[in-house]
PDB file of all heavy atoms in Angstrom:
ATOM      1  N   PRO A  74      94.735-103.728 -11.753  1.00  0.00           N
ATOM      2  CA  PRO A  74      95.223-102.587 -12.535  1.00  0.00           C
ATOM      3  C   PRO A  74      96.176-103.003 -13.659  1.00  0.00           C
ATOM      4  O   PRO A  74      96.840-104.031 -13.582  1.00  0.00           O
ATOM      5  CB  PRO A  74      95.926-101.736 -11.482  1.00  0.00           C
ATOM      6  CG  PRO A  74      96.362-102.719 -10.447  1.00  0.00           C
ATOM      7  CD  PRO A  74      95.313-103.791 -10.407  1.00  0.00           C
ATOM      8  N   VAL A  75      96.237-102.155 -14.691  1.00  0.00           N
ATOM      9  CA  VAL A  75      97.077-102.416 -15.847  1.00  0.00           C
ATOM     10  C   VAL A  75      98.337-101.561 -15.737  1.00  0.00           C
ATOM     11  O   VAL A  75      98.239-100.344 -15.520  1.00  0.00           O
ATOM     12  CB  VAL A  75      96.313-102.101 -17.145  1.00  0.00           C
ATOM     13  CG1 VAL A  75      97.209-102.294 -18.353  1.00  0.00           C
ATOM     14  CG2 VAL A  75      95.075-102.966 -17.244  1.00  0.00           C
ATOM     15  N   PRO A  76      99.473-102.149 -15.915  1.00  0.00           N
ATOM     16  CA  PRO A  76     100.709-101.337 -15.889  1.00  0.00           C
ATOM     17  C   PRO A  76     100.817-100.497 -17.149  1.00  0.00           C
ATOM     18  O   PRO A  76     101.072-100.999 -18.238  1.00  0.00           O
ATOM     19  CB  PRO A  76     101.823-102.394 -15.808  1.00  0.00           C
ATOM     20  CG  PRO A  76     101.222-103.626 -16.372  1.00  0.00           C
ATOM     21  CD  PRO A  76      99.747-103.589 -16.057  1.00  0.00           C
ATOM     22  N   ALA A  77     100.602 -99.212 -17.036  1.00  0.00           N
ATOM     23  CA  ALA A  77     100.649 -98.314 -18.184  1.00  0.00           C
ATOM     24  C   ALA A  77     101.052 -96.927 -17.724  1.00  0.00           C
ATOM     25  O   ALA A  77     100.944 -96.590 -16.537  1.00  0.00           O
ATOM     26  CB  ALA A  77      99.296 -98.262 -18.887  1.00  0.00           C
ATOM     27  N   LEU A  78     101.562 -96.133 -18.653  1.00  0.00           N
ATOM     28  CA  LEU A  78     101.981 -94.778 -18.360  1.00  0.00           C
ATOM     29  C   LEU A  78     100.754 -93.860 -18.249  1.00  0.00           C
ATOM     30  O   LEU A  78      99.756 -94.037 -18.935  1.00  0.00           O
ATOM     31  CB  LEU A  78     102.907 -94.257 -19.463  1.00  0.00           C
ATOM     32  CG  LEU A  78     104.263 -94.955 -19.596  1.00  0.00           C
ATOM     33  CD1 LEU A  78     105.007 -94.418 -20.810  1.00  0.00           C
ATOM     34  CD2 LEU A  78     105.090 -94.791 -18.334  1.00  0.00           C
ATOM     35  N   GLY A  79     100.924 -92.851 -17.398  1.00  0.00           N
ATOM     36  CA  GLY A  79      99.873 -91.855 -17.273  1.00  0.00           C
ATOM     37  C   GLY A  79      98.608 -92.404 -16.632  1.00  0.00           C
ATOM     38  O   GLY A  79      98.633 -93.376 -15.869  1.00  0.00           O
ATOM     39  N   SER A  80      97.499 -91.769 -16.965  1.00  0.00           N
ATOM     40  CA  SER A  80      96.192 -92.165 -16.433  1.00  0.00           C
ATOM     41  C   SER A  80      95.198 -92.233 -17.592  1.00  0.00           C
ATOM     42  O   SER A  80      95.302 -91.480 -18.563  1.00  0.00           O
ATOM     43  CB  SER A  80      95.716 -91.164 -15.385  1.00  0.00           C
ATOM     44  OG  SER A  80      95.593 -89.883 -15.940  1.00  0.00           O
ATOM     45  N   PRO A  81      94.225 -93.126 -17.492  1.00  0.00           N
ATOM     46  CA  PRO A  81      93.255 -93.261 -18.585  1.00  0.00           C
ATOM     47  C   PRO A  81      92.374 -92.020 -18.684  1.00  0.00           C
ATOM     48  O   PRO A  81      92.086 -91.358 -17.685  1.00  0.00           O
ATOM     49  CB  PRO A  81      92.457 -94.498 -18.190  1.00  0.00           C
ATOM     50  CG  PRO A  81      92.591 -94.586 -16.711  1.00  0.00           C
ATOM     51  CD  PRO A  81      93.960 -94.058 -16.377  1.00  0.00           C
ATOM     52  N   GLN A  82      91.978 -91.730 -19.910  1.00  0.00           N
ATOM     53  CA  GLN A  82      91.115 -90.571 -20.163  1.00  0.00           C
ATOM     54  C   GLN A  82      89.768 -90.941 -20.773  1.00  0.00           C
ATOM     55  O   GLN A  82      88.770 -90.297 -20.506  1.00  0.00           O
ATOM     56  CB  GLN A  82      91.848 -89.577 -21.086  1.00  0.00           C
ATOM     57  CG  GLN A  82      93.089 -88.978 -20.473  1.00  0.00           C
ATOM     58  CD  GLN A  82      93.821 -88.068 -21.434  1.00  0.00           C
ATOM     59  OE1 GLN A  82      93.626 -88.157 -22.659  1.00  0.00           O
ATOM     60  NE2 GLN A  82      94.675 -87.196 -20.908  1.00  0.00           N
ATOM     61  N   CYS A  83      89.748 -91.940 -21.643  1.00  0.00           N
ATOM     62  CA  CYS A  83      88.504 -92.370 -22.291  1.00  0.00           C
ATOM     63  C   CYS A  83      88.716 -93.769 -22.820  1.00  0.00           C
ATOM     64  O   CYS A  83      89.843 -94.287 -22.843  1.00  0.00           O
ATOM     65  CB  CYS A  83      88.114 -91.407 -23.409  1.00  0.00           C
ATOM     66  SG  CYS A  83      89.392 -91.202 -24.658  1.00  0.00           S
ATOM     67  N   PHE A  84      87.646 -94.394 -23.231  1.00  0.00           N
ATOM     68  CA  PHE A  84      87.766 -95.727 -23.804  1.00  0.00           C
ATOM     69  C   PHE A  84      86.596 -95.974 -24.744  1.00  0.00           C
ATOM     70  O   PHE A  84      85.577 -95.271 -24.722  1.00  0.00           O
ATOM     71  CB  PHE A  84      87.834 -96.799 -22.718  1.00  0.00           C
ATOM     72  CG  PHE A  84      86.504 -97.122 -22.082  1.00  0.00           C
ATOM     73  CD1 PHE A  84      85.761 -98.225 -22.490  1.00  0.00           C
ATOM     74  CD2 PHE A  84      85.981 -96.328 -21.071  1.00  0.00           C
ATOM     75  CE1 PHE A  84      84.558 -98.520 -21.910  1.00  0.00           C
ATOM     76  CE2 PHE A  84      84.766 -96.613 -20.494  1.00  0.00           C
ATOM     77  CZ  PHE A  84      84.048 -97.717 -20.910  1.00  0.00           C
ATOM     78  N   CYS A  85      86.751 -96.983 -25.589  1.00  0.00           N
ATOM     79  CA  CYS A  85      85.665 -97.499 -26.417  1.00  0.00           C
ATOM     80  C   CYS A  85      85.784 -99.004 -26.460  1.00  0.00           C
ATOM     81  O   CYS A  85      86.768 -99.585 -25.981  1.00  0.00           O
ATOM     82  CB  CYS A  85      85.696 -96.887 -27.817  1.00  0.00           C
ATOM     83  SG  CYS A  85      87.094 -97.426 -28.824  1.00  0.00           S
ATOM     84  N   LEU A  86      84.775 -99.655 -27.016  1.00  0.00           N
ATOM     85  CA  LEU A  86      84.697-101.118 -27.015  1.00  0.00           C
ATOM     86  C   LEU A  86      84.930-101.659 -28.409  1.00  0.00           C
ATOM     87  O   LEU A  86      84.432-101.108 -29.398  1.00  0.00           O
ATOM     88  CB  LEU A  86      83.328-101.574 -26.515  1.00  0.00           C
ATOM     89  CG  LEU A  86      82.925-101.076 -25.115  1.00  0.00           C
ATOM     90  CD1 LEU A  86      81.471-101.384 -24.845  1.00  0.00           C
ATOM     91  CD2 LEU A  86      83.798-101.714 -24.045  1.00  0.00           C
ATOM     92  N   ARG A  87      85.698-102.740 -28.478  1.00  0.00           N
ATOM     93  CA  ARG A  87      85.814-103.508 -29.722  1.00  0.00           C
ATOM     94  C   ARG A  87      84.910-104.728 -29.569  1.00  0.00           C
ATOM     95  O   ARG A  87      85.302-105.754 -29.012  1.00  0.00           O
ATOM     96  CB  ARG A  87      87.257-103.940 -29.978  1.00  0.00           C
ATOM     97  CG  ARG A  87      88.216-102.799 -30.272  1.00  0.00           C
ATOM     98  CD  ARG A  87      89.521-103.332 -30.805  1.00  0.00           C
ATOM     99  NE  ARG A  87      89.375-103.863 -32.160  1.00  0.00           N
ATOM    100  CZ  ARG A  87      90.313-104.568 -32.788  1.00  0.00           C
ATOM    101  NH1 ARG A  87      91.460-104.838 -32.182  1.00  0.00           N
ATOM    102  NH2 ARG A  87      90.103-105.009 -34.020  1.00  0.00           N
TER     103      ARG A  87
END
Side-chain angles (χ1 to χ4, degrees):
V75 177
L78 294 175
S80 60
Q82 296 177 340
C83 57
F84 77 98
C85 69
L86 303 170
R87 293 193 71 190

